[in-house]
Amino acid sequence: MSSRGAGSGAGVADRVTAVATSGVPGAAARAREEGPVDLRLIPPALAVWAAAALALGLPGRWVAAGSVACAAAALVLLAIASGGSRRAVAPARSGRAVTSPESGQGAVSAGGSHCASSVGGKRTAVSAGGGQAVASAGSGQGAASVGGSHRAAPAGGKRATGSAGYGWASVSVGGRRAAAVGAVLLCAAAGGATAGLHGADVRRGPVPGLAQEHARVDAEVRVTSDPRTTRPGVRGSHSTPPALLLNADIIEVAEPGGHRTRVRTPALLMVSPGGDRAEWQRLLPSTRLRVGGRLSPPAHAGERLAAVLRVETEGPPRITGPPTQVQRAAGELRSGLREATDGLDADARALLPGLVVGDTSRVSPELHDAFKATDLTHLLAVSGSNLSILLFLLIGPPGSALTSERRGLAPKLGISLRGTALIGGALTLVFIVVCRPEPSVLRAAACGLITLLAIGTGRRRSLIPALAAAVVLLVLYDPWLARSYGFLLSVLATGALLTLAPRWSAALQRRGVPPRLAEVLAAAAAAQAVCAPVVVVLASRVSLVAIPCNLLAEFAVAPATVLGFLALAVAPVAPPVAELLARVAGWPVGWIAAVARTGADLPGAEVPWPGGWAGAALLAALTALAVLLAPRLARHPWVCAAVALLLVLVVVRPPPLTRMVTGWPPPGWAFTLCDVGQGDAMVLAAGEGAGVVVDAGPDPRAVDRCLRDLGVTRVPLVILTHFHADHVRGLPGVLRGRSVGAVQTTSLDEPPEQAAFVRRTAASARVATLRAVPGERRRAGPLDWRVIWPSDGPGAAGAAQGPNNSSVTLHVRAAGGVTLLLLGDLEPPAQRGLLHSPAGLPRVDVLKVAHHGSAFQDAGLLHSARPRLALISCGADNPYGHPAPRTVDALRAAGAQVLRTDTDGAIAVTGTGKELRAVGRS
């Protein structure tokens, strides 16, 4: 066999190995995969990354000085390495002897002459330019020719030293090290300089200074992203409506004095669109707008943004320039996909556009939380797997990149190899345009192409240099990626799939796991192992269901993605066909949503973990320890079974076992005041696994967690005392995964937007709503309660004005005869009206203090009720000063034991009579 070309070292050996194994099907790929990993590009990639990340937060002069210093040092080192190379090459060109290692003799000849060197006492001959070369290493012999002649690998296990085309003989180890360090410093200089220029762009012009002054400006902007919706928040009793966020470049700004300046400064637009939300949401990237508003600095220093512009202009957006034709076409495709999904159920309608093109405008906060708890949020963003799936259909199964005309759709359509490559490139370009050419999409495209190359060639290890090169190019193109956690997660996940996953898959297969299952298990475990520490930095929690949920969702991702892209492609020309494809795609998408919701509903789906980089380092160390111990544990099946059972118990958390381990909830609890922050949420025990919920707090996750910990799966009735956000916004958490009989509310629909939210949320869960009637009595299991306010007595109408004073107030008799008074947020006028109502106010065992223990309390009511236990629900470090010291002192003076959720955590009431007590969880 013969092979033409030039090279040395590992390159020659790779080609020799390829020729030697070409006669065996698949042997070449396996031999290449078993070759050494080329890590030479990793230090330059890390240098570019680190330099860019540091430079973006430093003053310009420091960045310039550091870049010049690195560049100068790099040039010096490269010059040293180049000089050493010339000195080594010169004797080889003259045909003089060069070396005689280990007392042997050596000679080098160029231009076709014989050259020999002694290695380990044996003679090695190398010919450059067409002559013969003979090598003897150990006990074997080998021949190598560079320039077109015969060559063979050394038989004794050592590699012959060759000369390459121009008479290279040897480069000293010191020279190679100097060259490597010089390359790293040169890349660091390039990364720092590029980042410095991008950082200067952000700081240039009048906008940063105006932002520091919180000035009001009129500006013309160019939109650079699609609108995205913020989550609704809760501020005290009010809910902040969701705003729209748009990234934009300010291209002209009019300062308060009227002076106009042309600039190009990145900013974030915050819009409260009101009734014109639909028109704002239809804006496309590259659209130019005229807006007015107030500037403010970004939340964190060193961001890509120079300012945040809170738009104060009312009405629809004032468009001064239309979007480009490319963006308009991409927008029509995305809009067509949304319209094709209109007939699907809520989850599928929200997820399919997100899975295909990253359009998450319809994803509800509850569904997003479920994906976050199961670490499936990568499916809601454009990822490299989307592109890999599409190109995989074109090229074919693994190992077929070199024979693509015989695999995939390309040969069936009669497309040549060159045509296949062109179509693949065009498909990648369309993917970038439709999914928007934002940094995240460019990152996904680059990583997707790398993953595709790994699938097609089977050369996972040799693709590490390709991944490093992609990092270098992307960071130099957009240095802000160096500070992006998303970019870090993408690179880590891709690297894990190329390095760890093949080894772990092989280890699983050696233990009898089927190949396909082993590959899927290894890929999910490897990605989770390297990404979980970074997630800890962001979220201070660890998902225990991430790997199984990713495995279960993995099988539905490919069909959903392919069908979704087909619907996207045909929507402009055949909407009915697009709707049919979307309907079929709705099945796998619905499965993914079900996996996310089911996994998130498990009591131990996620556990808190120390945040920051210290917590990340701790998790990384434990993960490394687990990986090291895994081979030993695998030899002991009973140990593995015990670990698996323990993990299942931690995730499922059976109530009896949880109570035994944690002591919560205490046995025989009758009433629990949940810890939901600054708000109210209470649970009255109504039998095994059942509870009547009074108010839902401000956060669905908090009340859901409280009910899970109590083991409540059935809620006969939800009573919302009034419509303030800190009492009703958590309603979705109560409804999540539970059987709910009905939702009962006060008769005053104020604030109206919160009343509408409650009715809308209940209707979406198919739960009836009804009004509380003054004086009505109800029972549920051992519970008996009566509505004692609002009252229909004389003077009650005047006292029950406003949402707080219209709170549904309950007198409850719980199991064992424990009596409770739940006051909602009643203020003194209503408290006095309650005290003087015809029915009067009996003494009670437990008082839920009104309005989070504020100072607005009626002393007569506290004296009349004379509770033994006074419970206050309030948030830690709340800005309202709740509970008021005066209120706490008055309760204690009346003989009550006072407990509060900000210091005691969730509070449970248990026992009766003299055994009555309240237990705080903290």
Side-chain angles (χ1 to χ4, degrees):
M1 300 179 187
S2 66
S3 175
R4 303 189 64 84
S8 63
V12 173
D14 285 343
R15 284 190 290 274
V16 171
T17 305
V19 172
T21 59
S22 61
V24 182
R30 288 193 298 270
R32 287 194 300 268
E33 193 171 50
E34 292 171 359
V37 180
D38 188 352
L39 304 178
R40 287 175 295 179
L41 279 181
I42 290 182
L46 293 177
V48 170
W49 197 336
L54 289 173
L56 289 172
L58 295 176
R61 58 182 179 275
W62 291 15
V63 174
S67 299
V68 170
C70 287
L75 293 176
V76 170
L77 290 172
L78 292 175
I80 294 174
S82 177
S85 299
R86 285 194 297 271
R87 286 191 297 272
V89 170
R93 291 178 175 172
S94 63
R96 291 178 289 133
V98 177
T99 180
S100 176
E102 297 186 16
S103 73
Q105 295 178 352
V108 177
S109 175
S113 303
H114 178 272
C115 67
S117 66
S118 175
V119 182
K122 303 291 184 179
R123 292 180 58 81
T124 301
V126 180
S127 174
Q132 294 290 325
V134 181
S136 174
S139 61
Q141 295 180 348
S145 172
V146 185
S149 299
H150 173 77
R151 64 187 175 184
K158 296 185 180 181
R159 196 173 284 177
T161 302
S163 64
Y166 292 102
W168 281 80
S170 174
V171 178
S172 67
V173 174
R176 288 198 299 271
R177 289 178 179 173
V181 175
V184 169
L185 290 176
L186 196 60
C187 287
T194 306
L197 293 174
H198 280 74
D201 281 341
V202 173
R203 296 186 291 268
R204 184 182 296 117
V207 173
L210 294 172
Q212 294 293 333
E213 299 172 0
H214 296 269
R216 192 192 183 286
V217 298
D218 290 321
E220 184 176 0
V221 302
R222 181 187 295 109
V223 178
T224 58
S225 73
D226 287 296
R228 53 195 185 276
T229 305
T230 63
R231 298 185 64 147
V234 176
R235 290 184 180 178
S237 60
H238 299 284
S239 175
T240 57
L244 290 179
L245 303 180
L246 299 95
N247 290 94
D249 286 336
I250 299 177
I251 56 179
E252 184 180 77
V253 60
E255 301 180 36
H259 177 67
R260 292 186 174 273
T261 306
R262 300 291 296 182
V263 295
R264 189 175 180 272
T265 307
L268 177 68
L269 304 186
M270 296 185 64
V271 186
S272 298
D276 302 295
R277 175 176 295 272
E279 295 188 46
W280 281 93
Q281 286 182 317
R282 283 196 293 265
L283 290 175
L284 297 174
S286 73
T287 304
R288 294 197 304 275
L289 306 174
R290 176 70 64 180
V291 296
R294 191 170 297 278
L295 290 171
S296 61
H300 305 286
E303 289 191 14
R304 185 192 297 266
L305 306 172
V308 176
L309 177 57
R310 289 173 171 82
V311 177
E312 299 173 353
T313 306
E314 296 182 356
R318 293 184 292 169
I319 298 176
T320 60
T324 63
Q325 290 291 340
V326 172
Q327 291 294 350
R328 187 180 295 115
E332 290 175 356
L333 288 173
R334 293 164 67 98
S335 177
L337 179 60
R338 285 194 297 268
E339 293 174 1
T341 60
D342 284 341
L344 305 180
D345 63 71
D347 283 351
R349 184 169 61 249
L351 282 182
L352 187 57
L355 184 66
V356 175
V357 294
D359 181 358
T360 59
S361 58
R362 291 175 170 178
V363 176
S364 65
E366 292 76 29
L367 184 59
H368 186 273
D369 289 341
F371 272 71
K372 183 178 178 182
T374 53
D375 277 358
L376 289 172
T377 49
H378 61 90
L379 298 180
L380 298 178
V382 177
S383 66
S385 61
N386 298 50
L387 183 61
S388 297
I389 291 170
L390 296 178
L391 297 183
F392 175 81
L393 288 176
L394 183 69
I395 292 177
S400 64
L402 299 179
T403 59
S404 59
E405 288 189 305
R406 297 188 297 274
R407 301 293 180 89
L409 291 177
K412 296 179 181 179
L413 298 176
I415 303 174
S416 66
L417 182 61
R418 182 172 298 178
T420 302
L422 292 175
I423 292 175
L427 191 61
T428 303
L429 180 61
V430 172
F431 174 82
I432 293 173
V433 172
V434 173
C435 298
R436 308 302 191 207
E438 298 178 356
S440 60
V441 178
L442 296 175
R443 176 186 70 239
C447 292
L449 286 172
I450 292 168
T451 305
L452 176 71
L453 189 58
I455 292 173
T457 64
R459 298 183 61 176
R460 289 183 173 90
R461 297 185 193 179
S462 63
L463 285 170
I464 294 298
L467 176 61
V471 168
V472 171
L473 294 176
L474 287 172
V475 172
L476 290 178
Y477 171 77
D478 183 6
W480 297 102
L481 290 175
R483 290 194 167 193
S484 168
Y485 285 104
F487 182 67
L488 176 60
L489 289 170
S490 288
V491 174
L492 288 176
T494 306
L497 294 177
L498 298 178
T499 55
L500 298 179
R503 297 182 181 183
W504 293 3
S505 174
L508 290 173
Q509 292 180 51
R510 286 195 297 270
R511 286 170 172 79
V513 179
R516 175 57 181 161
L517 179 59
E519 289 179 2
V520 175
L521 282 171
Q528 183 67 17
V530 299
C531 293
V534 181
V535 175
V536 162
V537 176
L538 300 174
S540 301
R541 53 95 189 167
V542 174
S543 175
L544 300 181
V545 298
I547 293 178
C549 285
N550 274 274
L551 289 174
L552 292 172
E554 176 69 24
F555 301 101
V557 171
T561 301
V562 173
L563 291 169
F565 269 105
L566 288 175
L568 176 81
V570 304
V573 295
V577 177
E579 292 176 7
L580 178 61
L581 290 169
R583 192 174 300 277
V584 178
W587 299 337
V589 169
W591 166 258
I592 295 172
V595 168
R597 289 192 181 277
T598 303
D601 286 341
L602 293 172
E606 49 186 349
V607 295
W609 193 268
W613 290 108
L618 175 61
L619 181 59
L622 292 178
T623 302
L625 180 62
V627 171
L628 292 175
L629 294 178
R632 297 184 180 181
L633 294 178
R635 303 188 193 119
H636 305 283
W638 289 107
V639 175
C640 295
V643 171
L645 177 61
L646 178 61
L647 182 59
V648 170
L649 292 176
V650 170
V651 172
V652 177
R653 293 186 186 178
L657 181 62
T658 303
R659 185 180 295 115
M660 184 187 306
V661 174
T662 66
W664 183 266
W669 67 275
F671 170 81
T672 296
L673 185 62
C674 297
D675 182 10
V676 293
Q678 186 66 16
D680 275 6
M682 296 155 275
V683 187
L684 295 159
E688 185 67 26
V692 172
V693 176
V694 182
D695 285 333
D699 184 2
R701 291 168 294 187
V703 67
D704 182 32
R705 182 170 56 249
C706 178
L707 292 172
R708 287 186 192 179
D709 292 343
L710 295 173
V712 173
T713 59
R714 184 170 57 87
V715 180
L717 186 68
V718 179
I719 303 173
L720 301 178
T721 60
H722 61 297
F723 287 113
H724 276 164
D726 55 338
H727 292 250
V728 304
R729 270 289 168 178
L731 180 59
V734 178
L735 302 177
R736 183 180 300 156
R738 296 179 182 85
S739 172
V740 178
V743 175
Q744 189 177 51
T745 69
T746 182
S747 56
L748 181 65
D749 289 347
E750 291 186 13
E753 66 274 9
Q754 298 307 320
F757 164 78
V758 169
R759 287 191 290 269
R760 185 171 62 250
T761 303
S764 65
R766 296 181 175 85
V767 175
T769 57
L770 48 97
R771 305 280 191 178
V773 179
E776 72 170 272
R777 299 187 72 111
R778 288 181 177 267
R779 294 184 62 89
L783 284 176
D784 177 277
W785 71 90
R786 181 165 59 95
V787 178
I788 61 176
W789 190 267
S791 172
D792 52 5
Q801 291 185 350
N804 283 344
N805 285 333
S806 296
S807 296
V808 176
T809 302
L810 305 176
H811 182 266
V812 183
R813 184 173 297 274
V818 177
T819 56
L820 304 97
L821 179 61
L822 310 182
L823 293 174
D825 275 0
L826 291 187
E827 295 177 350
Q831 292 180 18
R832 287 191 290 270
L834 175 62
L835 185 61
H836 297 98
S837 63
L841 186 66
R843 291 188 59 178
V844 294
D845 297 314
V846 181
L847 172 68
K848 199 289 294 184
V849 181
H851 206 183
H852 318 294
S854 73
F856 300 103
Q857 309 289 336
D858 182 72
L861 182 143
L862 299 180
H863 179 76
S864 177
R866 298 188 66 82
R868 295 167 58 186
L869 299 173
L871 310 182
I872 301 173
S873 179
C874 57
D877 301 321
N878 65 83
Y880 312 103
H882 297 162
R886 184 175 67 184
T887 299
V888 175
D889 293 342
L891 290 167
R892 288 173 176 162
Q897 178 188 358
V898 180
L899 289 88
R900 38 195 281 193
T901 58
D902 62 335
T903 57
D904 299 303
I907 304 166
V909 174
T910 183
T912 59
K914 293 183 179 180
E915 300 298 324
L916 181 70
R917 63 192 180 96
V919 180
R921 188 172 188 182
S922 63

